[in-house]
Amino acid sequence: SGAVTNGTISPDGLWLANYVPLKDGKKSTVLLHLLSPAEEYRFDYSVPKDWELLTDANRLLAFSASSSRFAFLEDSSGFPVTRLADLINSQPPSLNSAEIVGKDTIGTAADIWFPRDDTLLIAGNDKKRALDWHLYSYNIPAKQLTSVIDGISYMYEMRRAGKQVLLGKMSGPNLVPILYDPDA
């Protein structure tokens, strides 16, 4: 029933998440509990135009290290936003009611990553200044979003480098690799 992309398994091996790209005006993010194959949770939506914005994103799906949280990008509003679902305290998990992170601050999200269970990093642009890209840190328990690095490159995927995160920052016309320590 269509292509499946960006498949990823949670660190505890209990969840499989994947993205179903645009087909016949519909898209889906799918979360499957592997011990109970009948337990499938979906975020399904239709888009008014036949375009596939999410293929430009670096990462569409992310699990926290303990597999207690799941983040995903979706573009039901016409631009990629970050959603965050609690897989432990919200039973059954509801992807449709997953929190939209940074909806008043972030215009377009391009990458997501969990450095810790209580923190989600988001590469996104400023909603008021679309050309300004930032690395945002979202403190999940406090529901607090903070810009931690400005001038990042939206094309450079965040990568783990030990306990730090490697990402690209623009320096004039040049892309410079930098390390960010989420614990500092």
Side-chain angles (χ1 to χ4, degrees):
S1 75
V4 170
T5 67
N6 300 79
T8 187
I9 294 179
S10 63
D12 65 6
L14 296 178
W15 297 95
L16 171 67
N18 65 270
Y19 173 66
V20 180
L22 182 67
K23 182 178 181 186
D24 300 325
K26 297 185 186 296
K27 299 179 181 187
S28 300
T29 297
V30 180
L31 185 61
L32 181 67
H33 194 273
L34 295 175
L35 293 182
S36 306
E39 289 186 45
E40 179 182 275
Y41 307 97
R42 299 179 72 92
F43 181 81
D44 295 320
Y45 58 101
S46 298
V47 292
K49 297 181 180 177
D50 287 334
W51 57 18
E52 182 54 74
L53 291 174
L54 295 180
T55 56
D56 291 336
N58 292 328
R59 188 181 342 265
L60 297 178
L61 313 165
F63 286 98
S64 64
S66 70
S67 304
S68 61
R69 293 186 169 97
F70 173 62
F72 63 100
L73 298 184
E74 59 89 359
D75 62 348
S76 61
S77 299
F79 52 91
V81 300
T82 303
R83 287 197 176 243
L84 178 63
D86 184 331
L87 299 180
I88 302 297
N89 299 315
S90 177
Q91 292 297 325
S94 172
L95 299 186
N96 289 327
S97 63
E99 174 186 2
I100 298 173
V101 179
K103 66 182 173 182
D104 296 329
T105 304
I106 301 172
T108 298
D111 198 0
I112 50 178
W113 187 65
F114 286 95
R116 294 186 304 272
D117 279 346
D118 67 349
T119 304
L120 177 64
L121 296 178
I122 304 165
N125 69 344
D126 185 295
K127 197 168 204 166
K128 294 178 184 162
R129 293 178 302 281
L131 298 178
D132 294 344
W133 285 79
H134 301 266
L135 177 66
Y136 294 95
S137 179
Y138 183 61
N139 180 311
I140 297 168
K143 296 191 178 295
Q144 182 178 20
L145 183 72
T146 306
S147 173
V148 292
I149 299 176
D150 62 350
I152 68 164
S153 170
Y154 62 88
M155 294 175 42
Y156 198 86
E157 181 178 302
M158 286 186 270
R159 297 186 180 154
R160 180 186 302 265
K163 292 188 174 192
Q164 297 178 327
V165 179
L166 177 67
L167 63 149
K169 181 170 171 63
M170 299 307 297
S171 177
N174 301 314
L175 176 67
V176 178
I178 63 167
L179 287 171
Y180 170 68
D181 185 348
D183 294 329

